[in-house]
Amino acid sequence: MKKRIILIQLFVITIVGISLADSDSTFISNFPTEAERVWPGPEYWTNPMEDWRLSNGCLECISGGGNRNVHILTRELANQSGDFEISVQAGLIEKGNDPGSVGFRIGIQDQIDDYRSRCFRGGGIDAGLTTDGKLFIQNQSKPLNHSIDLKSVKLTLTGKQAENGYTLTLTAMDQDTNESIGVITQTKISPNRLVGNIAVVNNHDRKIKNGPRFRFSDWTIRGDKIAAHEDRRFGPILWSMHTLSRKVMKMTAQMPPIGPNDAQTVRLQIQNEGEWETIGEAKIDPDARTATFRIADWDDTKDTPYRLLYAWKESDGVIRDEEWSGVVRKNPTEKEILVVSGLCCQTDEGFPHLELTRNVEIHNPDLLFFAGDQIYESVGGYGIIRTPADRSILNYLRKFYMFGWAFRDLMRDRVTLCLPDDHDVFQGNLWGNSGNAVSMEDHDAGGYAQPAQMVNAVHRTNTSHHPDFYDPTPIQQNISVYYGDMIYGGVSFAIVADRMFKSGPKETVATWPGRPDHVQDSSIDVTSLDKAGLILLGERQLSFLRDWAGDWRESVIKCLLSQTTFCNVATNHGEDLSMRLYADLDSNGWPQSGRNEALDIIRRAFAFHLCGDQHLPTLVQHGIDEFHDAGWAFCVPAISVGYPRAWRPDELGIPHSNRPAHGLPNTGDYLDCLNNLVTVYAVGNPEKQLRTDSRIHTLHDKSSGYGIIRFDKKKREIVVEAWKLIFDAANPRPVDQFPGWPKTIPLMENYGREAVAWLPTLRVSGMIDPVVQVIDESTNEIVYTLRINGTEFRPKVFKKGLYRVKIGEPSIKAMKTINGLESIPAEVTKIIDVKFD
Ligand SMILES: [Fe+2]
């Protein structure tokens, strides 16, 4: 193999008057003969991945469908003068029923100027050979000199620069006879069109259903118009995600579909006093293609450089350690403000999200939170495969790899939490119904439509690096769960799956024609949809949340993370927002009792709620019995909005009260679409007129963007920012946030309920910032728990009576209990000294 490379590199060729010496930019595919796998290697991107196989030293297309293609990532036609030559050996495997073609696409460009984007949306110049015996360059074609069986054809496309543009020449050579069987030439091609990605194509026409299939080998690219970009290799370790909580570091390396002859493990090393030390070796999961490490006793007091290693056989046959590296930052417990970026919902319209990732990097968050819809079914094109599970997983992984491709540089040095939502498991909406198996036609009745094996692979790719789960017992069909907590930088996060146990609307409440989740008839009484027995979070997650709400070890502020918001603040849906929805049962405003129960548990921890899903940024304060009596919730903007929603109560004459001082439209105290009490403080409605001159402008106008949440531990405040898509975070202006943001929320407002009475003031000595828990002695119920700021705190209570107060530091088990505290009116002053000296 090696010898052959040297021979080729010394070779200087002359075809149709073009002289091309080999240089650093020369590329030769050299597919390894012994490798049998789906993924060709780090130099390539295959479309779609599941339709290609590396086998017997060739890259085979296993689908006769249209527009199957392979991009070379490490070479491109550069915006520079010079000639080029691209050749490939193609062999017909199967003729199929429809005529088709084989050859190249070059100069692939997209309005988003990035080599990754061009792999999906780009158009270029097509050139190739049809199975009915014609050579073609764009619309021009010419029959071959004589027909052959296409079992072994070498296609060579050359570009030669001339005064009036480029001349492209495509030659076909019969490899069996070494004879030229045809040449076609096209002149006067603008140099502007010969910039961009290079691909080989199996069936150029995307409409072909059952066309021919080819195998490809000896793909060679050379010439001084070719630029090399070795840094664009993607893999074999594609990226990693990690978390750190309670001195346990967990990390998952995401791998491509490797083959049985490839290494099956990934190693993790950390740098210790300048030396790399191996601290773990993990097997690659055969479905999710993940390798997960769990390292206990992690020293979280310092930044730790890490690298993941994978023994990879290069195309020259030599095995080398390929690496992916980054830093596990020190636990930011001492930082006064923990910065979180809230992100969700990625259509591929904005891929690879250049503006957004650049801006998030400028904010330099400590933690990235992806709330769900890391993929949509449409991402990357080519549709979805639902079954069998192994094909479905490959189909999913290609889409998920696009998420990593866009965000991996942000994730490599930051703790990342990543929740799968409905689209991640190929369901437009998900009412998981504790894992019930359901068909897609019937999914509104509740359940998972995808094979459990695929669902579990999705869960693993998103959450296997999360801190250990609270109770990992799977649900029906052995579907995995992932609820649990993470304590990072003094903030305690609860992670729940707010769809996994939820009841479906079909056969439970939906009595109307049409979609069971859409109430489009204003005469339906939405309060009647809150039936007994309907589930939102489910008993298992509720009991976890109760535990979490009372556990304040190592934490100063608490925050719930889930996929979507616990209200229904969207009156208009659909592409032009003309669909008036009276209620949406996909929202977690339904079922209302489940919503209230969840809110009641988390307000007892003064917890803030951070989520996504809606594609409509909102900042609300929930009410259960009264407006403002529960916590605040921020639904972050979508990274790249597909399906838009809007909240337009003013136009629709929906009554409100207590509009905030900013006076913005559509804000104030409302009954939401499901009659829940919700104070809408801010909403980022899409523009009424969307710009259509570029996809990024359209996305911006549809309210794409992201959230930044600053947990200020010193001031016990949460600063909430909702940023738009297009702006410069290095020079931000007020208009770059959605109207109403930023907003500073005092932590105490997360249990905003009015006091009925008060307990005596607790005055602490010998300890600062102790945890205080108030218990109603008549019911033994925890009223709330929090970590106070400083040494003095006067607990409020919501009914008169006797209370027990636990106070101290639970991390070191230094807790004192004061029994029989009688509530007193606000105007009565009483002090109780609590001494830890
Ligand atoms: Fe979404």
Side-chain angles (χ1 to χ4, degrees):
M1 192 73 79
K2 211 167 184 183
K3 201 169 159 194
R4 188 147 153 244
I5 294 171
I6 294 162
L7 278 177
I8 293 168
Q9 284 179 344
L10 292 173
F11 195 47
V12 177
I13 59 150
T14 307
I15 294 177
V16 285
I18 301 173
S19 180
L20 294 162
D22 282 313
S23 66
D24 286 351
S25 66
T26 299
F27 172 81
I28 300 158
S29 60
N30 278 331
F31 296 120
T33 48
E34 70 284 8
E36 294 283 334
R37 60 171 181 256
V38 172
W39 188 66
E43 303 91 347
Y44 309 95
W45 181 266
T46 47
N47 284 317
M49 182 173 78
E50 64 273 11
D51 283 351
W52 294 88
R53 287 285 181 285
L54 200 56
S55 184
N56 294 317
C58 295
L59 188 54
E60 292 188 3
C61 188
I62 64 162
S63 162
N67 195 29
R68 268 56 189 172
N69 56 69
V70 181
H71 287 244
I72 173 83
L73 299 176
T74 56
R75 297 292 182 278
E76 68 177 10
L77 284 172
N79 190 9
Q80 63 197 34
S81 60
D83 299 338
F84 65 89
E85 183 205 270
I86 304 165
S87 65
V88 75
Q89 190 166 317
L92 185 68
I93 305 169
E94 191 180 30
K95 196 140 193 267
N97 295 334
D98 309 326
S101 61
V102 61
F104 308 102
R105 184 169 295 143
I106 62 167
I108 303 168
Q109 299 176 12
D110 176 52
Q111 57 177 259
I112 294 176
D113 187 19
D114 186 279
Y115 68 100
R116 292 165 293 184
S117 174
R118 293 178 212 136
C119 289
F120 305 93
R121 294 192 167 263
I125 293 176
D126 284 353
L129 168 61
T130 64
T131 45
D132 53 9
K134 290 189 195 108
L135 284 172
F136 68 93
I137 300 177
Q138 304 190 84
N139 294 329
Q140 187 184 333
S141 69
K142 188 178 164 189
L144 292 173
N145 302 342
H146 58 86
S147 64
I148 61 163
D149 63 8
L150 305 181
K151 287 278 188 282
S152 185
V153 184
K154 184 176 181 185
L155 292 171
T156 304
L157 181 65
T158 60
K160 183 174 164 52
Q161 202 170 12
E163 285 274 293
N164 56 357
Y166 271 83
T167 298
L168 289 182
T169 304
L170 177 67
T171 14
M173 185 180 277
D174 183 346
Q175 290 285 87
D176 293 337
T177 60
N178 240 357
E179 247 183 275
S180 169
I181 51 170
V183 181
I184 183 170
T185 298
Q186 196 170 85
T187 58
K188 296 184 194 165
I189 293 172
S190 162
N192 299 334
R193 298 194 58 202
L194 292 171
V195 177
N197 282 22
I198 299 165
V200 291
V201 181
N202 192 108
N203 294 327
H204 292 77
D205 182 351
R206 60 189 68 231
K207 293 192 290 292
I208 292 172
K209 289 270 180 285
N210 183 12
R213 303 191 293 110
F214 288 86
R215 63 172 63 89
F216 297 81
S217 60
D218 292 314
W219 186 7
T220 304
I221 301 166
R222 58 161 68 88
D224 44 16
K225 185 146 177 72
I226 303 295
H229 298 279
E230 293 300 337
D231 59 326
R232 292 180 180 174
R233 286 161 60 101
F234 186 35
I237 302 171
L238 300 172
W239 79 93
S240 67
M241 296 196 274
H242 67 270
T243 59
L244 180 57
S245 183
R246 297 186 179 93
K247 296 199 182 291
V248 177
M249 197 284 291
K250 285 177 81 174
M251 181 178 286
T252 292
Q254 183 65 58
M255 302 297 291
I258 50 158
N261 303 329
D262 297 310
Q264 301 297 315
T265 61
V266 178
R267 281 165 293 144
L268 172 62
Q269 295 188 331
I270 55 168
Q271 211 172 45
N272 219 340
E273 286 161 10
E275 295 290 312
W276 285 108
E277 179 193 346
T278 301
I279 58 165
E281 181 158 1
K283 222 173 149 1
I284 299 165
D285 180 88
D287 288 333
R289 276 78 175 184
T290 50
T292 300
F293 302 86
R294 182 188 190 280
I295 312 293
D297 302 320
W298 185 266
D299 180 359
D300 68 357
T301 62
K302 58 172 196 206
D303 288 352
T304 304
Y306 72 88
R307 66 179 188 187
L308 292 156
L309 297 175
Y310 179 70
W312 175 247
K313 194 181 260 187
E314 299 284 354
S315 54
D316 60 8
V318 178
I319 294 175
R320 295 187 186 91
D321 272 338
E322 287 277 350
E323 77 173 58
W324 173 257
S325 61
V327 174
V328 178
R329 294 179 180 183
K330 81 180 230 186
N331 192 339
T333 41
E334 280 140 40
K335 272 182 80 180
E336 280 177 17
I337 300 174
L338 184 86
V339 182
V340 176
S341 183
L343 302 143
C344 70
C345 297
Q346 313 173 33
T347 70
D348 62 7
E349 301 268 324
F351 176 84
H353 318 296
L354 299 172
E355 292 80 4
L356 187 144
T357 50
R358 188 191 60 228
N359 282 335
V360 172
E361 178 78 55
I362 292 168
H363 292 293
N364 191 15
D366 300 292
L367 165 63
L368 301 170
F369 168 53
F370 291 93
D373 293 350
Q374 278 65 257
I375 64 135
Y376 284 86
E377 292 88 330
S378 61
V379 159
Y382 299 91
I384 55 167
I385 297 170
R386 293 200 175 274
T387 57
D390 57 344
R391 292 268 298 157
S392 180
I393 290 168
L394 289 177
N395 175 254
Y396 159 76
L397 284 174
R398 169 172 170 273
K399 299 171 193 292
F400 189 68
Y401 292 164
M402 291 171 68
F403 154 63
W405 217 2
F407 285 96
R408 63 182 184 155
D409 284 326
L410 283 171
M411 297 191 285
R412 69 160 87 217
D413 297 336
R414 285 182 183 83
V415 163
T416 300
L417 291 170
C418 191
L419 302 187
D421 198 12
D422 42 14
H423 292 281
D424 299 285
V425 292
F426 291 178
Q427 289 190 224
N429 292 313
L430 175 65
W431 298 270
N433 200 11
S434 300
N436 180 52
V438 74
S439 70
M440 201 52 209
E441 294 69 46
D442 223 21
H443 77 289
D444 326 72
Y448 285 79
Q450 285 299 103
Q453 189 187 348
M454 183 269 185
V455 172
N456 284 344
V458 172
H459 289 179
R460 220 172 274 130
T461 55
N462 282 278
T463 68
S464 55
H465 67 288
H466 282 194
D468 299 346
F469 307 137
Y470 182 77
D471 169 6
T473 309
I475 51 175
Q476 290 179 60
Q477 302 190 75
N478 223 14
I479 286 176
S480 57
V481 301
Y482 52 82
Y483 62 92
D485 72 348
M486 177 175 83
I487 300 171
Y488 189 63
V491 179
S492 162
F493 297 94
I495 298 150
V496 301
D498 61 27
R499 326 268 201 189
M500 185 177 274
F501 296 88
K502 187 178 178 182
S503 312
K506 190 176 176 177
E507 291 159 21
T508 54
V509 295
T511 50
W512 48 86
R515 280 181 63 161
D517 55 328
H518 282 180
V519 177
Q520 296 195 62
D521 175 353
S522 63
S523 70
I524 291 171
D525 171 17
V526 291
T527 54
S528 73
L529 307 177
D530 185 24
K531 293 224 166 92
L534 292 172
I535 289 166
L536 179 59
L537 296 185
E539 198 38 55
R540 284 179 61 184
Q541 295 195 114
L542 292 175
S543 85
F544 153 63
L545 285 177
R546 283 186 205 104
D547 262 16
W548 171 78
D551 181 357
W552 282 76
R553 285 173 292 177
E554 296 174 54
S555 33
V556 180
I557 297 181
K558 283 190 177 266
C559 177
L560 171 67
L561 304 175
S562 80
Q563 285 84 354
T564 195
T565 189
F566 294 175
C567 56
N568 187 183
V569 177
T571 51
N572 295 69
H573 282 229
E575 206 42 60
D576 59 359
L577 293 168
S578 61
M579 182 170 43
R580 170 79 172 97
L581 268 201
Y582 292 95
D584 179 6
L585 305 189
D586 170 55
S587 84
N588 278 350
W590 180 82
Q592 294 93 326
S593 297
R595 173 253 183 196
N596 290 340
E597 191 175 14
L599 291 175
D600 183 44
I601 293 172
I602 65 165
R603 70 179 174 175
R604 290 165 195 256
F606 297 83
F608 182 71
H609 182 200
L610 185 57
C611 59
D613 165 64
Q614 284 289 298
H615 321 158
L616 175 65
T618 55
L619 179 61
V620 304
Q621 187 180 17
H622 291 289
I624 297 173
D625 302 304
E626 309 275 349
F627 286 109
H628 305 279
D629 70 2
W632 284 82
F634 179 25
C635 174
V636 301
I639 292 165
S640 182
V641 171
Y643 183 87
R645 293 183 180 86
W647 168 248
R648 294 174 176 166
D650 280 10
E651 272 172 42
L652 297 164
I654 296 172
H656 70 275
S657 55
N658 294 325
R659 181 148 288 175
H662 57 47
L664 289 167
N666 306 310
T667 64
D669 295 347
Y670 287 94
L671 291 180
D672 78 355
C673 301
L674 286 150
N675 278 5
N676 297 302
L677 303 179
V678 178
T679 299
V680 179
Y681 181 83
V683 57
N685 276 321
E687 300 289 341
K688 291 227 158 149
Q689 283 299 324
L690 304 178
R691 284 170 293 170
T692 53
D693 57 325
S694 77
R695 298 200 306 273
I696 295 297
H697 281 160
T698 310
L699 289 172
H700 178 91
D701 295 352
K702 284 168 92 175
S703 292
S704 301
Y706 61 94
I708 291 287
I709 306 91
R710 302 178 195 276
F711 292 96
D712 188 328
K713 292 175 277 176
K714 189 159 183 220
K715 294 188 187 151
R716 303 290 206 273
E717 285 175 353
I718 301 155
V719 181
V720 183
E721 303 168 2
W723 295 96
K724 296 179 181 175
L725 185 60
I726 306 171
F727 80 105
D728 177 8
N731 298 292
R733 305 161 303 166
V735 293
D736 296 326
Q737 293 202 53
F738 290 94
W741 283 273
K743 162 77 174 160
T744 299
I745 298 163
L747 184 72
M748 297 307 288
E749 286 190 13
N750 287 314
Y751 199 167
R753 192 174 174 188
E754 292 285 333
V756 169
W758 296 80
L759 300 185
T761 300
L762 306 166
R763 197 165 61 193
V764 180
S765 60
M767 185 182 283
I768 51 163
D769 297 354
V771 171
V772 171
Q773 184 167 69
V774 178
I775 297 160
D776 183 340
E777 288 195 343
S778 68
T779 59
N780 267 331
E781 192 180 42
I782 297 170
V783 182
Y784 54 78
T785 316
L786 79 165
R787 187 176 286 279
I788 68 164
N789 201 1
T791 54
E792 217 173 272
F793 180 68
R794 187 171 193 194
K796 65 176 173 180
V797 290
F798 310 108
K799 68 175 203 218
K800 291 176 189 160
L802 291 174
Y803 290 86
R804 179 160 60 248
V805 168
K806 292 186 180 173
I807 181 167
E809 182 48 72
S811 306
I812 53 167
K813 297 203 169 73
M815 295 296 290
K816 288 182 191 293
T817 302
I818 309 163
N819 290 309
L821 278 180
E822 188 165 10
S823 64
I824 48 177
E827 59 276 13
V828 177
T829 314
K830 194 174 170 189
I831 292 171
I832 291 182
D833 283 307
V834 187
K835 293 197 166 103
F836 290 93
D837 316 289

